Amino acid sequence: SIPGQPPVRAQGRVPAGAHRQVTAEQLRARGNALFQAGDHGGALAAYTEALSLSDAASERAVLHRNRAACYLKLEDYTKAEADATKAIEADGRDVKALFRRSQALQQLGRLDQAVSDLQRCVSLEPRNKAFQEALRALGSSMHDKMKAMSCTDSKVEQMFQILLDLDEKDADKKQKAAQNLIVLAREEAGAEKIFQSDGVRLLMQLLDTAKADLMLAALRTLVGLCSGHRSRTTAILAELGAPRLAAVLGVEHEQVSLAACNLLHVMFDSLKEGLQKDFRGKEDAVVLDSSRDLKQLIKHLLELLVLEGASAHGRDNALNLLIKVVPRKSPKDTNNSLSLWVIDQGLKKILEVGSTVCGSLGSLSVTENSRMSTSVLLSKLYEDLKCDAERENFHRLCEDYVRSWFEGQELPGKLRAIQTVSCLLQGPSDAGNRVLELEGIMDSVLSLCASVCEAHQLVAVEALLHAADKAKRASFITANGVNLLKEIYKHSEKDSIRIRALVGLCKLGSAGGTDFSMKQFAEGSTMKLAKQCRKWLCNEAIDAGTRRWAVEGLAYLTFDADVKEEFVEDKAAMQAMFHLAKSEDRSVLYAVASTLVNCTNSYDHEEPDPQMLELAKYAKQHIPEQHPKDKPEFVKRRVRKLLAAGVVSALVCMVKSENPALTNSCRELISRVFLALVDKAEDRGGVVAQGGGKALIPLSLEGTEVGQTKAAQALAKITITSNPEMAFPGERIYEVVRPLVSLLHLQRTGLENFEGLMALTNLAGISERLRQKILKERAVPMIEGYMFEEHELIRLAATECMCNMAMSKEVQEMFLAEGSDRLKLMVLYSGEEDEKLRRAASGTLAMLTALHPPICERIPQVTVHWLEILQALLLSPSAELQHRGAVVVMNMMAAAREVAEQLIASEMLEILSVLAKDKDKP
């Protein structure tokens, strides 16, 4: 993977001669030689080129037959069958083509057709033992398959008998039967067999037993039947019915509810996307309209939200499903009708969950994550709206709901109205602000903050906190609510109330952000608040739900660099926060990520223009000031302390969360922190070892554009300085390509472009499969574009990347394309003053001339300076440049007589003779 290092030309390669003079016969001979040597890809290319030059039907048939042999070796059986068929169409008695097609058909699982071809071979050549043996083996294989199929039928029946037998007491036997059924359903043939064997009715009986283990087996088997198969999903949904599935989702048993959630998600995907596997035969015959089924399922999920008997985690699972399946996946999809339908049919039901006051009479059962999930769902629905009229309808429905609980209602109704406001402020804050401005709401919040009832006070203080997030509200609350919050903090006997009041003070105290000169409170107050937050955070006697608020407080207070410095010195507080990040309560994720962004200074901060600063001073405008402890040396030390305390494992655990609390903005914050953690090369190995590399891949593929870019840049930094095969083992290395290519887009910064190119250079030097992946992501035109970049480092990185990409046949062909200046640029760069650029460009030339001899003949045509550039390489004081120059000249001498004559007519022989005697450069 060393960029610009030339390979010596492989011995024994047949010289190409003049490209236009090569005949189909010569190309076929070359293909035969390459095939015999084991270079099946090279042979395929030679036969394909010969086909483009051949008009004779018999000659083309032989070439198709030969290509079929190459495809068999390359395990591309579909193309092998296609080529063999073309050969057979020309000559129905071509036994080689028939035999090759039978081999391809056998691998494609079409055994009956394979047998037919083999029988034809045997009838044409009865004494050929190879054909006889192949037919015998295939007959045996078919017999085994038929036996297995009939065996599968009886096994399916047997498994259901064991599972449905109420008298069967052997638990291990039942567990094994259940596991076998699930495994069988994962294979398409097995899934179809279960489906055809009245399996759905039997699975329904398992669900009706109300026994957790049997219900789990049924649900997991149904997942296999529905995965990627729309017609089967539609039939299963019709038989089971949406009400039954929603009822299973709402059961008390947590695992059963989760399995039902997984099944419903698979069903939604299958109904939305249609068939994803290659079993299109019977699908295409039936036109299926899935929108009615989708709406039927969603209708029952919405009803489950307000169903009194539904379990709390069942309600959470329903919310999570709605978040995943209702809003559009991409803004490019213009159809938001599903979101509009859910808002019209179910917004009130969603708000019912968000307005639930825990512990109040007749309230729905919810978990600590329910309100956060509701806020996320409301936010996603609001973001999915396309015009003012749609948004206005959303606001109207929210305002009507809040009024229905607030106006003319007793205290419990007013509490629910305030809880709804809190929920909206955490989600679509525009809607939250609108309802907050309704008459009497803010006054009620302030008056209830002084309530003697803890539950009422909790609801009001939380609403006040969420309202304080908005600058215009913060100034109102600073004027009206600070004294109230101070009183609550000082005099309340309940930690749960005091900690929330403290967070309110933290929010208001940090209104100046990172601006050192904008202090809201008296000197030392912020430090006292932070100290109390850390104290509560470390107190394990307090429940996790309450301690979460201490992290909320730190998320605001850590704008102050003094607070950051004290926090990273308190290892117990850091580890307590990381422990909370890994806990069941996922609503803490955003606060943890915000605190870490503040501690690592990984938020965006632009350097102000000095001239604008002078103007601002002259105009007596406020100028933000940086805290002395936010300078790079302090940030670097804080990063080291966080790494030592175990920040990476906490971040990895946060990314793994499937919870709605892991919003796109939360993902962006985590990406920012990761980028700060891998800033220094010496820290990258530790981040990778703790799972950071693996966690960055999903962050780089999903989320906000800024978040994806930050994660991709972190991946690039790791790929540049680590061995990519160790940092991203197995198939994971191929997942890194797309994020790295995204760094080459024009809207990215120069540093991001540079790091993306450097990382891709390392990947391109590893294997042909990785180079093919880079080609597939359409990176080559972008790499080429950066070779013209004014910035010398970016230009060099692009040239080095192209050098490693040139090992691919497709890239080599690009250098011969008519009207292209690619080759000319490479030759001219080989004569540049910048030695590193010369090394990369001449290395590319050495690679190209070795691997693709026709390029040797093109070099003299692209520039009149080619000879002096090659001579300058050979006369360079750098041994590396001399080596590259010598390889290029050697390849050009071997490629064509005309080029060799031009080289010998110059001073080249004299220069080479001198170099050949230099014993210091073997």
Side-chain angles (χ1 to χ4, degrees):
S1 65
I2 301 166
Q5 184 68 43
V8 176
R9 188 163 181 258
Q11 297 300 308
R13 184 179 287 275
V14 183
H19 191 59
R20 289 188 184 86
Q21 294 168 8
V22 176
T23 65
E25 186 63 39
Q26 287 172 313
L27 284 165
R28 186 175 129 198
R30 187 194 302 174
N32 293 346
L34 289 168
F35 189 88
Q36 292 298 326
D39 184 357
H40 304 119
L44 179 64
Y47 294 141
T48 303
E49 200 173 339
L51 266 171
S52 67
L53 299 175
S54 175
D55 295 323
S58 59
E59 178 70 26
R60 290 180 67 80
V62 172
L63 288 167
H64 278 301
R65 185 178 74 197
N66 290 1
R67 283 208 322 179
C70 294
Y71 282 128
L72 283 171
K73 291 290 185 185
L74 295 168
E75 297 181 9
D76 190 339
Y77 302 115
T78 306
K79 286 182 180 172
E81 186 219 347
D83 262 320
T85 301
K86 283 177 183 170
I88 294 161
E89 282 168 1
D91 178 7
R93 298 175 67 83
D94 186 338
V95 286
K96 285 186 180 178
L98 282 163
F99 185 63
R100 282 166 196 170
R101 187 168 74 173
S102 79
Q103 287 177 298
L105 290 166
Q106 200 170 340
Q107 294 296 334
L108 292 168
R110 287 147 63 186
L111 301 186
D112 50 342
Q113 290 169 272
V115 165
S116 175
D117 278 352
L118 271 176
Q119 285 171 338
R120 177 93 176 120
C121 289
V122 171
S123 69
L124 289 167
E125 291 189 11
R127 293 184 182 179
N128 190 318
K129 288 187 178 176
F131 293 163
Q132 291 170 2
E133 189 53 45
L135 186 59
R136 196 177 298 115
L138 188 53
S140 173
S141 171
M142 282 190 74
H143 177 70
D144 290 345
K145 190 176 179 184
M146 295 300 290
K147 196 174 172 183
M149 288 295 282
S150 60
C151 185
T152 304
D153 285 359
S154 60
K155 273 187 180 173
V156 169
E157 200 177 320
Q158 197 179 355
M159 284 185 268
F160 276 118
Q161 274 178 1
I162 294 167
L163 292 169
L164 290 167
D165 185 359
L166 300 175
D167 299 324
E168 179 60 70
K169 302 294 183 221
D170 188 340
D172 288 343
K173 195 174 176 184
K174 281 203 166 191
Q175 191 179 356
K176 195 172 179 184
Q179 197 56 44
N180 287 342
L181 201 61
I182 295 162
V183 170
L184 189 65
R186 286 178 190 153
E187 297 290 329
E188 171 55 25
E192 190 60 29
K193 186 53 60 186
I194 293 169
F195 183 71
Q196 297 294 348
S197 307
D198 198 21
V200 180
R201 186 182 60 79
L202 297 168
L203 289 168
M204 199 154 60
Q205 286 180 30
L206 289 179
L207 283 176
D208 292 344
T209 60
K211 291 184 177 178
D213 53 343
L214 297 179
M215 290 177 83
L216 284 169
L219 292 165
R220 288 167 184 166
T221 304
L222 285 165
V223 165
L225 299 187
C226 294
S227 288
H229 206 295
R230 187 163 53 157
S231 60
R232 252 198 326 249
T233 303
T234 307
I236 289 166
L237 183 58
E239 195 156 347
L240 288 179
R244 185 195 298 267
L245 289 167
V248 176
L249 184 68
V251 298
E252 284 294 338
H253 195 285
E254 208 163 330
Q255 272 189 301
V256 171
S257 177
L258 200 59
C261 178
N262 185 32
L263 170 61
L264 284 163
H265 195 193
V266 166
M267 291 179 107
F268 274 116
D269 284 349
S270 297
L271 291 170
K272 269 186 162 184
E273 306 300 330
L275 203 70
Q276 292 160 0
K277 298 177 185 172
D278 288 328
F279 302 107
R280 299 182 179 272
K282 39 189 137 158
E283 287 281 322
D284 289 345
V286 187
V287 177
L288 298 162
D289 176 23
S290 302
S291 59
R292 190 173 56 82
D293 289 330
L294 282 169
K295 285 183 177 177
Q296 191 67 12
L297 277 175
I298 291 169
K299 177 173 170 278
H300 284 91
L301 287 180
L302 291 167
E303 284 172 3
L304 179 69
L305 293 180
V306 291
L307 191 69
E308 282 186 21
S311 64
H313 43 257
R315 201 166 268 115
D316 278 4
N317 286 332
L319 287 166
N320 294 354
L321 263 174
L322 290 166
I323 290 166
K324 287 173 184 171
V325 303
V326 174
R328 291 172 293 166
K329 291 279 188 288
S330 161
K332 291 176 186 173
D333 177 7
T334 55
N335 183 6
N336 68 341
S337 59
L338 204 53
S339 289
L340 296 175
W341 184 82
V342 168
I343 289 166
D344 285 339
Q345 300 293 315
L347 187 63
K348 186 181 173 186
K349 294 181 175 77
I350 296 165
L351 290 170
E352 283 286 310
V353 182
S355 69
T356 297
V357 179
C358 292
S360 61
L361 196 67
S363 64
L364 298 170
S365 59
V366 290
T367 69
E368 64 269 17
N369 292 315
S370 300
R371 185 139 54 93
M372 174 58 81
S373 296
T374 307
S375 295
V376 172
L377 175 56
L378 290 166
S379 187
K380 293 264 187 190
L381 290 171
Y382 189 74
E383 286 166 12
D384 209 32
L385 302 177
K386 294 192 293 188
C387 62
D388 289 345
E390 290 173 1
R391 284 184 276 273
E392 197 53 47
N393 179 53
F394 188 94
H395 289 310
R396 182 183 56 76
L397 290 169
C398 290
E399 286 170 17
D400 289 349
Y401 181 81
V402 170
R403 281 199 195 96
S404 71
W405 280 114
F406 190 78
E407 291 174 1
Q409 294 283 344
E410 298 297 319
L411 185 57
K414 286 184 165 42
L415 283 170
R416 286 199 70 164
I418 293 168
Q419 190 80 304
T420 309
V421 173
S422 275
C423 185
L424 286 165
L425 284 166
Q426 279 181 284
S429 54
D430 288 350
N433 279 323
R434 282 272 293 261
V435 293
L436 198 58
E437 287 163 9
L438 292 175
E439 191 180 342
I441 296 279
M442 200 66 206
D443 293 335
S444 290
V445 170
L446 290 171
S447 63
L448 279 168
C449 280
S451 170
V452 290
C453 172
E454 183 188 353
H456 300 169
Q457 205 176 12
L458 267 177
V459 171
V461 172
E462 279 191 28
L464 193 64
L465 300 189
H466 297 309
D469 275 342
K470 300 288 164 270
K472 64 174 183 176
R473 287 277 154 213
S475 55
F476 169 81
I477 295 164
T478 305
N480 297 280
V482 169
N483 289 333
L484 178 61
L485 288 170
K486 281 182 180 175
E487 285 299 309
I488 294 169
Y489 175 59
K490 285 177 185 172
H491 300 116
S492 176
E493 293 175 9
K494 301 284 185 185
D495 277 343
S496 57
I497 302 288
R498 291 187 67 219
I499 202 165
R500 284 164 171 80
L502 175 66
V503 173
L505 292 169
C506 294
K507 282 190 180 187
L508 300 169
S510 64
T514 55
D515 185 354
F516 182 47
S517 60
M518 287 274 288
K519 292 290 176 191
Q520 298 286 317
F521 292 161
E523 192 68 42
S525 297
T526 306
M527 297 299 287
K528 284 179 189 170
L529 291 173
K531 190 175 180 182
Q532 186 58 53
C533 278
R534 296 203 313 273
K535 186 177 167 186
W536 267 323
L537 180 58
C538 295
N539 186 353
E540 292 188 10
I542 302 173
D543 68 279
T546 304
R547 283 162 62 215
R548 167 175 75 83
W549 287 95
V551 186
E552 290 269 354
L554 287 168
Y556 288 92
L557 293 173
T558 45
F559 281 125
D560 187 321
D562 287 316
V563 174
K564 301 179 201 183
E565 286 294 314
E566 276 205 1
F567 179 65
V568 297
E569 292 300 330
D570 189 343
K571 194 169 182 179
M574 284 193 288
Q575 289 179 333
M577 184 175 82
F578 299 155
H579 186 70
L580 269 182
K582 297 174 186 177
S583 70
E584 286 291 307
D585 183 359
R586 311 309 275 171
S587 52
V588 77
L589 295 183
Y590 193 85
V592 172
S594 300
T595 305
L596 292 171
V597 164
N598 292 341
C599 289
T600 56
N601 281 33
S602 47
Y603 37 71
D604 291 327
H605 40 82
E606 290 180 19
E607 291 298 320
D609 184 329
Q611 286 183 313
M612 296 304 291
L613 276 179
E614 290 304 315
L615 280 171
K617 283 178 188 172
Y618 179 74
K620 294 184 179 175
Q621 286 187 348
H622 171 71
I623 300 164
E625 291 177 29
Q626 187 189 38
H627 196 293
K629 289 181 183 174
D630 270 335
K631 288 181 177 167
E633 60 269 26
F634 285 93
V635 177
K636 186 178 175 181
R637 196 163 59 240
R638 289 202 292 266
V639 166
R640 286 282 160 86
K641 297 244 166 121
L642 285 165
L643 285 166
V647 67
V648 176
S649 64
L651 289 171
V652 169
C653 198
M654 287 161 75
V655 174
K656 281 180 186 171
S657 169
E658 279 291 312
N659 197 281
L662 187 68
T663 57
N664 286 342
S665 49
C666 186
R667 297 169 81 92
E668 182 187 315
L669 295 179
I670 296 170
S671 297
R672 287 177 181 276
V673 178
F674 265 126
L675 183 57
L677 297 178
V678 298
D679 188 52
K680 301 293 172 217
E682 60 268 29
D683 296 330
R684 292 170 195 167
V687 171
V688 170
Q690 293 174 68
K694 183 181 178 182
L696 278 164
I697 294 171
L699 289 172
S700 67
L701 297 170
E702 192 182 335
T704 64
E705 190 176 351
V706 172
Q708 288 183 52
T709 305
K710 300 282 182 195
Q713 197 182 354
L715 284 170
K717 286 179 185 289
I718 291 168
T719 310
I720 292 165
T721 54
S722 312
N723 177 350
E725 289 175 288
M726 293 188 71
F728 310 105
E731 291 297 303
R732 205 174 296 153
I733 195 168
Y734 302 100
E735 295 175 46
V736 177
V737 173
R738 183 172 293 172
L740 295 181
V741 171
S742 74
L743 293 175
L744 305 189
H745 293 153
L746 288 173
Q747 64 268 39
R748 304 284 176 258
T749 65
L751 178 62
E752 288 162 357
N753 297 155
F754 174 69
E755 289 182 333
L757 288 164
M758 294 268 284
L760 286 168
T761 301
N762 274 0
L763 291 184
I766 291 172
S767 72
E768 179 58 24
R769 190 177 162 200
L770 272 167
R771 288 190 286 277
Q772 287 299 323
K773 178 72 176 164
I774 294 168
L775 276 163
K776 195 177 176 184
E777 293 295 338
R778 299 184 182 142
V780 172
M782 290 188 272
I783 296 166
E784 213 167 47
Y786 287 113
M787 286 174 67
F788 293 93
E789 179 66 43
E790 282 182 32
H791 195 293
E792 58 188 34
L793 285 175
I794 294 178
R795 188 169 66 231
L796 171 63
T799 310
E800 288 179 339
C801 191
M802 187 59 81
C803 178
N804 282 351
M805 286 302 295
M807 287 188 268
S808 267
K809 186 83 174 167
E810 288 93 326
V811 178
Q812 293 158 22
E813 293 291 350
M814 288 177 189
F815 280 86
L816 285 173
E818 288 297 327
S820 161
D821 283 336
R822 294 182 183 98
L823 190 57
K824 181 179 180 180
L825 184 68
M826 233 18 122
V827 175
L828 292 174
Y829 275 0
S830 299
E832 282 282 313
E833 288 180 16
D834 180 346
E835 189 180 317
K836 286 182 179 175
L837 183 62
R838 286 179 80 190
R839 201 160 61 212
S842 57
T844 311
L845 284 181
M847 192 94 71
L848 289 168
T849 53
L851 298 172
H852 205 55
I855 284 173
C856 299
E857 296 166 66
R858 185 67 70 84
I859 288 174
Q861 299 166 20
V862 294
T863 172
V864 293
H865 304 294
W866 70 280
L867 259 175
E868 60 189 84
I869 288 170
L870 287 179
Q871 288 172 1
L873 285 173
L874 291 167
L875 294 169
S876 164
S878 160
E880 286 191 54
L881 288 177
Q882 287 180 303
H883 180 208
R884 286 158 170 72
V887 171
V888 175
V889 174
M890 181 180 75
N891 292 337
M892 290 179 75
M893 284 294 295
R897 183 181 182 87
E898 189 186 334
V899 178
E901 283 172 351
Q902 286 177 272
L903 287 165
I904 294 302
S906 71
E907 297 164 3
M908 196 64 76
L909 185 61
E910 200 179 321
I911 296 167
L912 289 168
S913 302
V914 173
L915 288 178
K917 292 171 187 168
D918 192 342
K919 290 176 182 174
D920 295 334
K921 296 174 182 173

